mmCIF file of all heavy atoms in Angstrom:
data_model
loop_
_atom_site.group_PDB
_atom_site.id
_atom_site.type_symbol
_atom_site.label_atom_id
_atom_site.label_comp_id
_atom_site.label_asym_id
_atom_site.label_seq_id
_atom_site.Cartn_x
_atom_site.Cartn_y
_atom_site.Cartn_z
ATOM 1 N N PRO A 10 132.190 92.644 94.483
ATOM 2 C CA PRO A 10 130.984 92.223 95.267
ATOM 3 C C PRO A 10 129.629 92.627 94.593
ATOM 4 O O PRO A 10 128.569 92.245 95.003
ATOM 5 C CB PRO A 10 131.146 93.072 96.523
ATOM 6 C CG PRO A 10 132.141 94.127 96.255
ATOM 7 C CD PRO A 10 132.999 93.618 95.181
ATOM 8 N N TYR A 11 129.695 93.305 93.447
ATOM 9 C CA TYR A 11 128.555 93.697 92.721
ATOM 10 C C TYR A 11 128.094 92.746 91.619
ATOM 11 O O TYR A 11 127.127 92.873 91.043
ATOM 12 C CB TYR A 11 128.685 95.092 92.181
ATOM 13 C CG TYR A 11 129.099 96.116 93.248
ATOM 14 C CD1 TYR A 11 130.405 96.517 93.295
ATOM 15 C CD2 TYR A 11 128.201 96.462 94.204
ATOM 16 C CE1 TYR A 11 130.846 97.400 94.328
ATOM 17 C CE2 TYR A 11 128.554 97.362 95.170
ATOM 18 C CZ TYR A 11 129.906 97.834 95.221
ATOM 19 O OH TYR A 11 130.274 98.659 96.189
ATOM 20 N N THR A 12 128.978 91.757 91.349
ATOM 21 C CA THR A 12 128.637 90.800 90.346
ATOM 22 C C THR A 12 128.054 89.588 91.042
ATOM 23 O O THR A 12 128.602 88.891 91.807
ATOM 24 C CB THR A 12 129.911 90.343 89.595
ATOM 25 O OG1 THR A 12 130.550 91.512 89.054
ATOM 26 C CG2 THR A 12 129.569 89.301 88.484
ATOM 27 N N LYS A 13 126.775 89.358 90.770
ATOM 28 C CA LYS A 13 126.005 88.304 91.447
ATOM 29 C C LYS A 13 125.180 87.574 90.379
ATOM 30 O O LYS A 13 124.865 88.078 89.415
ATOM 31 C CB LYS A 13 125.051 88.888 92.506
ATOM 32 C CG LYS A 13 125.724 89.769 93.559
ATOM 33 C CD LYS A 13 125.323 89.266 94.897
ATOM 34 C CE LYS A 13 125.942 90.156 95.930
ATOM 35 N NZ LYS A 13 127.018 89.563 96.618
ATOM 36 N N LEU A 14 124.874 86.284 90.751
ATOM 37 C CA LEU A 14 123.938 85.483 89.973
ATOM 38 C C LEU A 14 122.522 85.798 90.494
ATOM 39 O O LEU A 14 122.241 85.542 91.708
ATOM 40 C CB LEU A 14 124.256 84.004 90.111
ATOM 41 C CG LEU A 14 123.279 83.048 89.457
ATOM 42 C CD1 LEU A 14 123.286 83.222 87.949
ATOM 43 C CD2 LEU A 14 123.623 81.587 89.804
ATOM 44 N N LEU A 15 121.682 86.194 89.653
ATOM 45 C CA LEU A 15 120.301 86.556 89.991
ATOM 46 C C LEU A 15 119.383 85.490 89.469
ATOM 47 O O LEU A 15 119.314 85.194 88.317
ATOM 48 C CB LEU A 15 119.931 87.863 89.406
ATOM 49 C CG LEU A 15 120.643 89.092 89.941
ATOM 50 C CD1 LEU A 15 120.206 90.416 89.230
ATOM 51 C CD2 LEU A 15 120.602 89.336 91.504
ATOM 52 N N MET A 16 118.626 84.948 90.363
ATOM 53 C CA MET A 16 117.636 83.875 90.026
ATOM 54 C C MET A 16 116.314 84.116 90.772
ATOM 55 O O MET A 16 116.329 84.707 91.827
ATOM 56 C CB MET A 16 118.169 82.517 90.436
ATOM 57 C CG MET A 16 119.397 82.123 89.710
ATOM 58 S SD MET A 16 120.079 80.547 90.207
ATOM 59 C CE MET A 16 118.636 79.455 89.979
ATOM 60 N N ASP A 17 115.264 83.610 90.221
ATOM 61 C CA ASP A 17 113.978 83.653 90.921
ATOM 62 C C ASP A 17 113.618 85.068 91.394
ATOM 63 O O ASP A 17 113.522 85.959 90.622
ATOM 64 C CB ASP A 17 113.818 82.594 91.983
ATOM 65 C CG ASP A 17 114.139 81.157 91.448
ATOM 66 O OD1 ASP A 17 113.712 80.920 90.288
ATOM 67 O OD2 ASP A 17 114.750 80.387 92.139
ATOM 68 N N ARG A 18 113.300 85.147 92.738
ATOM 69 C CA ARG A 18 112.861 86.418 93.283
ATOM 70 C C ARG A 18 113.856 87.571 93.185
ATOM 71 O O ARG A 18 113.523 88.681 92.956
ATOM 72 C CB ARG A 18 112.464 86.200 94.746
ATOM 73 C CG ARG A 18 111.075 85.450 94.863
ATOM 74 C CD ARG A 18 110.601 85.573 96.271
ATOM 75 N NE ARG A 18 109.427 84.718 96.305
ATOM 76 C CZ ARG A 18 108.512 84.910 97.146
ATOM 77 N NH1 ARG A 18 108.570 85.807 98.070
ATOM 78 N NH2 ARG A 18 107.347 84.066 97.098
ATOM 79 N N SER A 19 115.145 87.184 93.328
ATOM 80 C CA SER A 19 116.200 88.279 93.279
ATOM 81 C C SER A 19 116.210 88.801 91.897
ATOM 82 O O SER A 19 116.386 89.982 91.617
ATOM 83 C CB SER A 19 117.538 87.829 93.675
ATOM 84 O OG SER A 19 117.979 86.707 92.926
ATOM 85 N N LYS A 20 115.975 87.940 90.803
ATOM 86 C CA LYS A 20 115.890 88.445 89.457
ATOM 87 C C LYS A 20 114.683 89.274 89.224
ATOM 88 O O LYS A 20 114.747 90.281 88.535
ATOM 89 C CB LYS A 20 115.992 87.310 88.474
ATOM 90 C CG LYS A 20 115.969 87.749 87.029
ATOM 91 C CD LYS A 20 115.947 86.573 85.992
ATOM 92 C CE LYS A 20 116.002 87.053 84.591
ATOM 93 N NZ LYS A 20 115.037 88.075 84.253
ATOM 94 N N GLU A 21 113.529 88.929 89.756
ATOM 95 C CA GLU A 21 112.327 89.658 89.644
ATOM 96 C C GLU A 21 112.509 91.052 90.286
ATOM 97 O O GLU A 21 112.137 91.991 89.656
ATOM 98 C CB GLU A 21 111.095 88.926 90.411
ATOM 99 C CG GLU A 21 110.581 87.779 89.590
ATOM 100 C CD GLU A 21 109.484 87.103 90.436
ATOM 101 O OE1 GLU A 21 108.875 87.741 91.213
ATOM 102 O OE2 GLU A 21 109.287 85.918 90.205
ATOM 103 N N SER A 22 113.150 91.170 91.469
ATOM 104 C CA SER A 22 113.362 92.400 92.071
ATOM 105 C C SER A 22 114.207 93.371 91.200
ATOM 106 O O SER A 22 114.005 94.465 91.060
ATOM 107 C CB SER A 22 113.993 92.262 93.483
ATOM 108 O OG SER A 22 113.177 91.546 94.312
ATOM 109 N N TYR A 23 115.229 92.679 90.649
ATOM 110 C CA TYR A 23 116.124 93.476 89.749
ATOM 111 C C TYR A 23 115.362 93.908 88.506
ATOM 112 O O TYR A 23 115.539 95.084 88.147
ATOM 113 C CB TYR A 23 117.386 92.625 89.330
ATOM 114 C CG TYR A 23 118.160 93.204 88.250
ATOM 115 C CD1 TYR A 23 119.039 94.323 88.599
ATOM 116 C CD2 TYR A 23 118.139 92.770 86.951
ATOM 117 C CE1 TYR A 23 119.828 94.863 87.668
ATOM 118 C CE2 TYR A 23 118.878 93.396 85.970
ATOM 119 C CZ TYR A 23 119.694 94.406 86.316
ATOM 120 O OH TYR A 23 120.495 95.056 85.276
ATOM 121 N N ASP A 24 114.579 93.077 87.928
ATOM 122 C CA ASP A 24 113.767 93.517 86.738
ATOM 123 C C ASP A 24 112.906 94.638 87.122
ATOM 124 O O ASP A 24 112.669 95.541 86.283
ATOM 125 C CB ASP A 24 113.013 92.269 86.249
ATOM 126 C CG ASP A 24 113.884 91.260 85.517
ATOM 127 O OD1 ASP A 24 115.012 91.696 85.102
ATOM 128 O OD2 ASP A 24 113.469 90.146 85.321
ATOM 129 N N HIS A 25 112.304 94.674 88.298
ATOM 130 C CA HIS A 25 111.368 95.744 88.679
ATOM 131 C C HIS A 25 112.191 97.089 88.665
ATOM 132 O O HIS A 25 111.713 98.096 88.258
ATOM 133 C CB HIS A 25 110.797 95.473 90.001
ATOM 134 C CG HIS A 25 109.838 94.337 90.059
ATOM 135 N ND1 HIS A 25 109.545 93.736 91.231
ATOM 136 C CD2 HIS A 25 109.196 93.748 89.119
ATOM 137 C CE1 HIS A 25 108.691 92.726 90.917
ATOM 138 N NE2 HIS A 25 108.503 92.694 89.660
ATOM 139 N N LEU A 26 113.462 97.042 89.279
ATOM 140 C CA LEU A 26 114.239 98.217 89.316
ATOM 141 C C LEU A 26 114.685 98.681 87.924
ATOM 142 O O LEU A 26 114.660 99.780 87.579
ATOM 143 C CB LEU A 26 115.441 97.985 90.183
ATOM 144 C CG LEU A 26 115.227 97.997 91.694
ATOM 145 C CD1 LEU A 26 116.474 97.588 92.410
ATOM 146 C CD2 LEU A 26 114.775 99.409 92.149
ATOM 147 N N ARG A 27 115.133 97.634 87.060
ATOM 148 C CA ARG A 27 115.680 97.861 85.825
ATOM 149 C C ARG A 27 114.557 98.519 84.892
ATOM 150 O O ARG A 27 114.875 99.474 84.158
ATOM 151 C CB ARG A 27 116.263 96.645 85.236
ATOM 152 C CG ARG A 27 116.939 96.798 83.898
ATOM 153 C CD ARG A 27 117.482 95.475 83.379
ATOM 154 N NE ARG A 27 116.531 94.460 83.332
ATOM 155 C CZ ARG A 27 115.616 94.250 82.359
ATOM 156 N NH1 ARG A 27 115.563 95.090 81.385
ATOM 157 N NH2 ARG A 27 114.770 93.258 82.350
ATOM 158 N N THR A 28 113.442 97.951 84.846
ATOM 159 C CA THR A 28 112.411 98.436 83.984
ATOM 160 C C THR A 28 111.548 99.582 84.420
ATOM 161 O O THR A 28 110.910 100.279 83.690
ATOM 162 C CB THR A 28 111.454 97.233 83.574
ATOM 163 O OG1 THR A 28 110.792 96.814 84.772
ATOM 164 C CG2 THR A 28 112.138 96.090 82.927
ATOM 165 N N GLY A 29 111.640 99.796 85.739
ATOM 166 C CA GLY A 29 110.806 100.857 86.423
ATOM 167 C C GLY A 29 109.345 100.525 86.456
ATOM 168 O O GLY A 29 108.508 101.341 86.722
ATOM 169 N N LYS A 30 108.991 99.251 86.310
ATOM 170 C CA LYS A 30 107.525 98.866 86.357
ATOM 171 C C LYS A 30 107.410 97.527 87.160
ATOM 172 O O LYS A 30 108.362 96.767 87.210
ATOM 173 C CB LYS A 30 107.001 98.611 84.953
ATOM 174 C CG LYS A 30 106.858 99.893 84.129
ATOM 175 C CD LYS A 30 106.328 99.512 82.826
ATOM 176 C CE LYS A 30 106.132 100.734 81.960
ATOM 177 N NZ LYS A 30 105.652 100.451 80.622
ATOM 178 N N TYR A 31 106.296 97.343 87.705
ATOM 179 C CA TYR A 31 105.983 95.988 88.222
ATOM 180 C C TYR A 31 104.470 95.770 88.198
ATOM 181 O O TYR A 31 103.711 96.729 88.132
ATOM 182 C CB TYR A 31 106.536 95.846 89.630
ATOM 183 C CG TYR A 31 105.766 96.649 90.770
ATOM 184 C CD1 TYR A 31 104.746 96.000 91.443
ATOM 185 C CD2 TYR A 31 106.011 97.907 91.044
ATOM 186 C CE1 TYR A 31 104.006 96.660 92.446
ATOM 187 C CE2 TYR A 31 105.340 98.579 91.973
ATOM 188 C CZ TYR A 31 104.299 98.020 92.693
ATOM 189 O OH TYR A 31 103.606 98.707 93.648
ATOM 190 N N GLY A 32 104.011 94.536 88.231
ATOM 191 C CA GLY A 32 102.666 94.268 88.252
ATOM 192 C C GLY A 32 102.149 94.194 89.743
ATOM 193 O O GLY A 32 102.515 93.313 90.453
ATOM 194 N N GLY A 33 101.348 95.090 90.103
ATOM 195 C CA GLY A 33 100.792 95.168 91.357
ATOM 196 C C GLY A 33 99.599 96.161 91.532
ATOM 197 O O GLY A 33 98.922 96.397 90.484
ATOM 198 N N VAL A 34 99.312 96.602 92.735
ATOM 199 C CA VAL A 34 98.163 97.463 92.913
ATOM 200 C C VAL A 34 98.603 98.861 93.315
ATOM 201 O O VAL A 34 97.716 99.743 93.445
ATOM 202 C CB VAL A 34 97.246 96.811 93.968
ATOM 203 C CG1 VAL A 34 96.744 95.535 93.548
ATOM 204 C CG2 VAL A 34 97.917 96.723 95.381
ATOM 205 N N GLY A 35 99.860 99.134 93.541
ATOM 206 C CA GLY A 35 100.312 100.482 93.787
ATOM 207 C C GLY A 35 100.401 100.913 95.235
ATOM 208 O O GLY A 35 100.114 102.115 95.595
ATOM 209 N N VAL A 36 100.800 99.988 96.157
ATOM 210 C CA VAL A 36 100.957 100.324 97.503
ATOM 211 C C VAL A 36 102.377 99.935 97.982
ATOM 212 O O VAL A 36 102.937 98.925 97.466
ATOM 213 C CB VAL A 36 99.932 99.755 98.458
ATOM 214 C CG1 VAL A 36 98.548 100.211 98.207
ATOM 215 C CG2 VAL A 36 99.973 98.134 98.379
ATOM 216 N N GLN A 37 102.888 100.697 98.832
ATOM 217 C CA GLN A 37 104.178 100.267 99.471
ATOM 218 C C GLN A 37 103.764 99.841 100.858
ATOM 219 O O GLN A 37 102.976 100.475 101.568
ATOM 220 C CB GLN A 37 105.172 101.401 99.590
ATOM 221 C CG GLN A 37 106.441 100.937 100.294
ATOM 222 C CD GLN A 37 107.370 102.121 100.418
ATOM 223 O OE1 GLN A 37 107.073 103.286 100.218
ATOM 224 N NE2 GLN A 37 108.643 101.787 100.856
ATOM 225 N N ILE A 38 104.174 98.642 101.325
ATOM 226 C CA ILE A 38 103.698 98.109 102.618
ATOM 227 C C ILE A 38 104.856 97.885 103.531
ATOM 228 O O ILE A 38 105.959 97.778 103.118
ATOM 229 C CB ILE A 38 102.893 96.725 102.353
ATOM 230 C CG1 ILE A 38 103.794 95.661 101.615
ATOM 231 C CG2 ILE A 38 101.573 96.963 101.674
ATOM 232 C CD1 ILE A 38 103.209 94.319 101.499
ATOM 233 N N GLY A 39 104.552 97.744 104.797
ATOM 234 C CA GLY A 39 105.509 97.488 105.788
ATOM 235 C C GLY A 39 104.870 97.054 107.070
ATOM 236 O O GLY A 39 103.567 97.042 107.156
ATOM 237 N N LEU A 40 105.646 96.515 107.972
ATOM 238 C CA LEU A 40 105.041 96.021 109.268
ATOM 239 C C LEU A 40 105.172 97.151 110.304
ATOM 240 O O LEU A 40 106.189 97.681 110.595
ATOM 241 C CB LEU A 40 105.813 94.776 109.761
ATOM 242 C CG LEU A 40 105.540 93.554 108.903
ATOM 243 C CD1 LEU A 40 106.437 92.402 109.375
ATOM 244 C CD2 LEU A 40 104.151 93.111 108.942
ATOM 245 N N ARG A 41 104.045 97.492 110.883
ATOM 246 C CA ARG A 41 103.948 98.430 111.953
ATOM 247 C C ARG A 41 103.330 97.795 113.169
ATOM 248 O O ARG A 41 102.184 97.391 113.074
ATOM 249 C CB ARG A 41 103.163 99.733 111.571
ATOM 250 C CG ARG A 41 103.786 100.580 110.458
ATOM 251 C CD ARG A 41 105.191 101.180 110.923
ATOM 252 N NE ARG A 41 105.704 101.889 109.820
ATOM 253 C CZ ARG A 41 106.856 101.430 109.195
ATOM 254 N NH1 ARG A 41 107.325 100.274 109.523
ATOM 255 N NH2 ARG A 41 107.424 102.106 108.310
ATOM 256 N N ARG A 42 104.110 97.645 114.233
ATOM 257 C CA ARG A 42 103.609 96.908 115.433
ATOM 258 C C ARG A 42 103.073 95.497 115.006
ATOM 259 O O ARG A 42 101.951 95.110 115.381
ATOM 260 C CB ARG A 42 102.601 97.683 116.180
ATOM 261 C CG ARG A 42 103.008 98.936 116.755
ATOM 262 C CD ARG A 42 101.993 99.563 117.678
ATOM 263 N NE ARG A 42 102.476 100.895 118.100
ATOM 264 C CZ ARG A 42 101.797 102.019 117.829
ATOM 265 N NH1 ARG A 42 100.634 101.992 117.072
ATOM 266 N NH2 ARG A 42 102.230 103.150 118.180
ATOM 267 N N ASP A 43 103.823 94.834 114.145
ATOM 268 C CA ASP A 43 103.567 93.467 113.638
ATOM 269 C C ASP A 43 102.282 93.425 112.849
ATOM 270 O O ASP A 43 101.695 92.349 112.665
ATOM 271 C CB ASP A 43 103.457 92.457 114.867
ATOM 272 C CG ASP A 43 104.707 92.364 115.509
ATOM 273 O OD1 ASP A 43 105.777 92.397 114.900
ATOM 274 O OD2 ASP A 43 104.716 92.056 116.799
ATOM 275 N N THR A 44 101.758 94.534 112.319
ATOM 276 C CA THR A 44 100.542 94.567 111.505
ATOM 277 C C THR A 44 100.978 95.098 110.156
ATOM 278 O O THR A 44 101.630 96.129 109.987
ATOM 279 C CB THR A 44 99.514 95.512 112.084
ATOM 280 O OG1 THR A 44 99.234 95.014 113.361
ATOM 281 C CG2 THR A 44 98.217 95.505 111.230
ATOM 282 N N LEU A 45 100.514 94.391 109.014
ATOM 283 C CA LEU A 45 100.795 94.788 107.711
ATOM 284 C C LEU A 45 100.097 96.111 107.448
ATOM 285 O O LEU A 45 98.901 96.201 107.524
ATOM 286 C CB LEU A 45 100.382 93.740 106.719
ATOM 287 C CG LEU A 45 100.776 93.933 105.260
ATOM 288 C CD1 LEU A 45 102.341 93.901 105.089
ATOM 289 C CD2 LEU A 45 100.150 92.859 104.372
ATOM 290 N N THR A 46 100.827 97.153 107.095
ATOM 291 C CA THR A 46 100.290 98.482 106.968
ATOM 292 C C THR A 46 100.683 99.133 105.659
ATOM 293 O O THR A 46 101.833 98.933 105.197
ATOM 294 C CB THR A 46 100.804 99.342 108.135
ATOM 295 O OG1 THR A 46 100.497 98.737 109.382
ATOM 296 C CG2 THR A 46 100.202 100.738 108.097
ATOM 297 N N VAL A 47 99.728 99.944 105.084
ATOM 298 C CA VAL A 47 100.079 100.663 103.795
ATOM 299 C C VAL A 47 100.873 101.851 104.266
ATOM 300 O O VAL A 47 100.452 102.720 105.026
ATOM 301 C CB VAL A 47 98.715 101.098 103.209
ATOM 302 C CG1 VAL A 47 99.015 102.024 101.960
ATOM 303 C CG2 VAL A 47 97.923 99.895 102.797
ATOM 304 N N LEU A 48 102.075 101.937 103.664
ATOM 305 C CA LEU A 48 103.065 103.033 104.012
ATOM 306 C C LEU A 48 102.952 104.186 102.945
ATOM 307 O O LEU A 48 103.084 105.339 103.316
ATOM 308 C CB LEU A 48 104.478 102.575 103.968
ATOM 309 C CG LEU A 48 104.827 101.490 105.007
ATOM 310 C CD1 LEU A 48 106.299 101.099 104.886
ATOM 311 C CD2 LEU A 48 104.497 101.863 106.373
ATOM 312 N N SER A 49 102.595 103.820 101.730
ATOM 313 C CA SER A 49 102.320 104.846 100.674
ATOM 314 C C SER A 49 101.466 104.312 99.619
ATOM 315 O O SER A 49 101.455 103.036 99.377
ATOM 316 C CB SER A 49 103.663 105.485 100.174
ATOM 317 O OG SER A 49 104.377 104.427 99.433
ATOM 318 N N VAL A 50 100.739 105.131 98.869
ATOM 319 C CA VAL A 50 99.916 104.825 97.792
ATOM 320 C C VAL A 50 100.343 105.607 96.561
ATOM 321 O O VAL A 50 100.506 106.794 96.655
ATOM 322 C CB VAL A 50 98.433 105.089 98.053
ATOM 323 C CG1 VAL A 50 97.529 104.698 96.985
ATOM 324 C CG2 VAL A 50 98.043 104.370 99.375
ATOM 325 N N PHE A 51 100.672 104.851 95.516
ATOM 326 C CA PHE A 51 101.168 105.514 94.284
ATOM 327 C C PHE A 51 99.960 106.200 93.559
ATOM 328 O O PHE A 51 98.914 105.504 93.306
ATOM 329 C CB PHE A 51 101.918 104.573 93.381
ATOM 330 C CG PHE A 51 103.053 103.952 94.094
ATOM 331 C CD1 PHE A 51 103.213 102.542 94.008
ATOM 332 C CD2 PHE A 51 104.053 104.653 94.743
ATOM 333 C CE1 PHE A 51 104.225 101.948 94.640
ATOM 334 C CE2 PHE A 51 105.101 104.085 95.353
ATOM 335 C CZ PHE A 51 105.206 102.658 95.276
ATOM 336 N N GLU A 52 100.163 107.441 93.153
ATOM 337 C CA GLU A 52 99.111 108.085 92.350
ATOM 338 C C GLU A 52 98.783 107.314 91.067
ATOM 339 O O GLU A 52 99.655 106.648 90.482
ATOM 340 C CB GLU A 52 99.511 109.517 92.048
ATOM 341 C CG GLU A 52 99.417 110.446 93.198
ATOM 342 C CD GLU A 52 99.663 111.849 92.815
ATOM 343 O OE1 GLU A 52 99.293 112.226 91.648
ATOM 344 O OE2 GLU A 52 100.279 112.566 93.612
ATOM 345 N N ASN A 53 97.516 107.375 90.639
ATOM 346 C CA ASN A 53 97.115 106.687 89.388
ATOM 347 C C ASN A 53 97.319 105.241 89.377
ATOM 348 O O ASN A 53 97.527 104.618 88.322
ATOM 349 C CB ASN A 53 97.813 107.376 88.117
ATOM 350 C CG ASN A 53 97.486 108.819 88.072
ATOM 351 O OD1 ASN A 53 96.428 109.275 88.373
ATOM 352 N ND2 ASN A 53 98.612 109.574 87.726
#
């Protein structure tokens, strides 16, 4: 069950985990009461 074909977004997500980096602004987001909310902010 761990052997999968990764394409498009699933491949991007895997690459983020594999390399330990991603291009973004440094926030973890989630929905709180149907509102997009900042859950954590990465230092630096």
Side-chain angles (χ1 to χ4, degrees):
Y11 306 104
T12 304
K13 302 233 183 253
L14 174 65
L15 298 177
M16 295 176 56
D17 302 325
R18 288 192 184 203
S19 59
K20 184 183 178 309
E21 283 177 28
S22 296
Y23 171 74
D24 287 342
H25 294 160
L26 283 174
R27 184 179 55 79
T28 61
K30 293 180 179 178
Y31 73 92
V34 298
V36 293
Q37 180 183 10
I38 56 174
L40 290 174
R41 296 292 175 256
R42 297 189 187 118
D43 297 329
T44 302
L45 189 63
T46 305
V47 176
L48 303 179
S49 65
V50 180
F51 303 127
E52 285 187 35
N53 302 320

